[in-house]
Amino acid sequence: MKIIVMGAGVVGVSAAHRLAEDGHEVVVVDRRPGAGLETSFANGGQISASHAEPWANPSTPWKALKWLGREDAPLVFRWTRVDPALWAWGLRFLGNCTAARARVNTERTLRLALYSRAALKALRAETGIDYDQRTVGILHIYRDAVEFAHARAAARHMAAHGLARESLTPAECLALEPALATVGRSLAGGLHSPDDESGDAHLFTVRLADLARRAGVTFLFGHEIRALASDGGRITGVVGADGRVLTADAYVLSLGSFSPLVARSVALRLPIYPAKGYSITIDIGTSAAAPTLSVTDDELKMVYSRLGERLRVAGTAELAGWDDRPTPVRADALLRHAREMFPDAGDYGRAQQWAGLRPKTPDSVPIIGRSPLANLFLNTGHGTLGWTMATGSARIIADLIAGRTPEIDLSGLGLERF
């Protein structure tokens, strides 16, 4: 079967590789000149099933109100924009900010994240792919005792669904990551997820694309997709900016934040909105003052991942449409907090800044599975967990296209929930 995968980020490339292994003729189409150059390029670098708690939870509206007017706040909604898509998405988001909905959405996210994390380990064992990975877990730190208590309660809920997390005292956090010495006295405690991982998502995507190419996948870069063509309840082609139409037997939509813009050409409404995330990358050499395992600062919604001789610092979210240009004050906030956390980690004066669009659904659960059009499959809306969920999502899509029963329950993961 000939299959077109739309999107060459980590989600699309993972799907293409898996489909090629099934023996399909696969073509990947992307507007960029290479793989992994959008959201996958400079993200936080975590394989983090421990991030399964959704953005939409009872505490978020109150925090958002507290952060109003702060340009450097962890989460910013640009409500003053004349943007019907943001308002429609925001209303659905608020509808998910209940304790009951948060529990349901955590379970759905965690189900896929745990499956995908295991699938990534299997892929690494099978292929030997290397991407500056570290398999020593992720440490979440907390300064506020109330926030730490909430996190421990959430961890107990996640543990019931199979996620191992260890509650640590401040002293135990420092023993696990000595580089936290500067902020050690301010900590209320931490949670260590020993089976989570970190690494360079862009490097992973590029190297997996190479493996996919060897398996027969064709990559068509520099080809912007403008629309889908359909007839009789089926997709008949992918329409490029140059008017050229590419055809196949089946199609996989993995365009991240741009998926809803393409899907609406066939009257398919995807409740996905871009959340602009920021990162800085710092040269650290072999500095002993930089962290050796990935750290998440839950209060500031920031992550730190060591990638070889670099430190990736990422976080914050800005809902302001499809503009991926950095807002200087937000990038500067990352730099300031990183200096405070790890003051001697590396050369902050030469930090490289980046911003990218993360495709968020209102419930923080991706959209995986069949669409109302018979030969169009959806693999999008992964938000901040694109890399965490990519390998598992790829297996699901390949199973559905092959007519196999997926290895996990797909209830609550499809478009039909909306």
Side-chain angles (χ1 to χ4, degrees):
M1 183 185 298
K2 183 177 180 180
I3 302 170
I4 289 179
V5 175
M6 293 170 270
V10 67
V11 172
V13 169
S14 296
H17 178 259
R18 187 69 180 182
L19 289 165
E21 286 190 324
D22 268 1
H24 298 292
E25 178 188 351
V26 183
V27 178
V28 178
V29 185
D30 196 281
R31 68 186 181 120
R32 292 287 198 161
L37 295 179
E38 293 275 0
T39 309
S40 307
F41 182 68
N43 62 20
Q46 293 185 332
I47 303 295
S48 50
S50 55
H51 279 289
E53 187 176 14
W55 284 14
N57 63 69
S59 67
T60 301
W62 305 111
K63 288 180 179 178
L65 286 173
K66 181 179 69 173
W67 292 330
L68 277 176
R70 277 186 50 193
E71 276 298 313
D72 63 347
L75 177 62
V76 171
F77 290 83
R78 301 294 185 194
W79 294 119
T80 55
R81 293 171 52 88
V82 181
D83 187 346
L86 174 58
W87 283 89
W89 185 94
L91 289 173
R92 280 179 157 166
F93 179 85
L94 288 173
N96 278 281
C97 288
T98 67
R101 292 307 309 164
R103 284 193 296 271
V104 169
N105 294 330
T106 296
E107 185 281 323
R108 290 172 175 175
T109 301
L110 193 56
R111 189 194 326 151
L112 177 56
L114 289 173
Y115 172 64
S116 190
R117 192 178 67 185
L120 174 62
K121 292 178 189 293
L123 175 69
R124 190 168 60 238
E126 174 189 340
T127 65
I129 189 171
D130 183 85
Y131 43 90
D132 285 336
Q133 68 265 23
R134 288 179 176 263
T135 57
V136 291
I138 294 175
L139 174 63
H140 291 239
I141 59 170
Y142 303 87
R143 296 178 179 83
D144 184 272
V146 174
E147 289 287 338
F148 186 37
H150 168 81
R152 282 181 293 175
R156 288 192 291 271
H157 175 60
M158 293 182 191
H161 295 288
L163 178 68
R165 302 189 80 184
E166 303 165 356
S167 181
L168 305 180
T169 65
E172 289 170 330
C173 290
L174 287 174
L176 189 63
E177 181 46 80
L180 288 168
T182 301
V183 296
R185 291 183 179 180
S186 68
L187 297 182
L191 292 169
H192 182 225
S193 305
D195 298 318
D196 278 347
E197 305 179 5
S198 59
D200 188 331
H202 176 245
L203 183 59
F204 173 84
T205 305
V206 168
R207 289 184 172 171
L208 188 62
D210 287 340
L211 292 174
R213 196 175 285 107
R214 292 177 208 166
V217 175
T218 299
F219 286 86
L220 182 57
F221 293 122
H223 188 94
E224 183 177 354
I225 298 170
R226 286 289 176 85
L228 299 174
S230 67
D231 184 56
R234 297 178 63 84
I235 299 298
T236 57
V238 172
V239 184
D242 59 359
R244 185 160 44 133
V245 179
L246 305 174
T247 61
D249 302 303
Y251 303 80
V252 179
L253 183 61
S254 298
L255 288 171
S257 295
F258 297 91
S259 292
L261 305 185
V262 171
R264 68 189 183 190
S265 63
V266 287
L268 187 60
R269 304 298 176 189
L270 302 183
I272 294 171
Y273 195 85
K276 189 191 301 184
Y278 290 76
S279 78
I280 57 174
T281 304
I282 303 147
D283 288 332
I284 58 173
T286 58
S287 172
T292 57
L293 82 163
S294 190
V295 175
T296 296
D297 185 335
D298 266 19
E299 178 184 340
L300 297 175
K301 307 303 179 189
M302 289 177 56
V303 304
Y304 300 82
S305 296
R306 189 167 189 150
L307 312 176
E309 296 187 350
R310 297 166 295 148
L311 179 65
R312 174 70 46 75
V313 182
T316 81
E318 179 183 2
L319 285 90
W322 279 261
D323 181 0
D324 63 359
R325 291 173 297 180
T327 301
V329 67
R330 297 184 66 76
D332 290 344
L334 289 184
L335 188 63
R336 182 175 71 254
H337 292 310
R339 284 182 186 270
E340 293 169 356
M341 181 84 82
F342 304 110
D344 301 314
D347 187 357
Y348 288 104
R350 294 187 176 182
Q352 297 175 327
Q353 297 184 357
W354 175 86
L357 303 178
R358 300 172 293 191
K360 291 293 293 184
T361 59
D363 56 8
S364 296
V365 181
I367 302 173
I368 311 290
R370 300 181 181 277
S371 78
L373 293 118
N375 59 343
L376 176 64
F377 296 83
L378 304 174
N379 188 17
T380 190
H382 295 75
T384 58
L385 296 178
W387 190 19
T388 298
M389 297 176 168
T391 312
S393 299
R395 286 189 173 193
I396 291 168
I397 292 298
D399 285 343
L400 291 174
I401 289 177
R404 298 186 296 260
T405 300
E407 296 172 314
I408 64 168
D409 177 14
L410 300 189
S411 60
L413 302 182
L415 182 61
E416 64 277 359
R417 71 182 186 270
F418 296 107

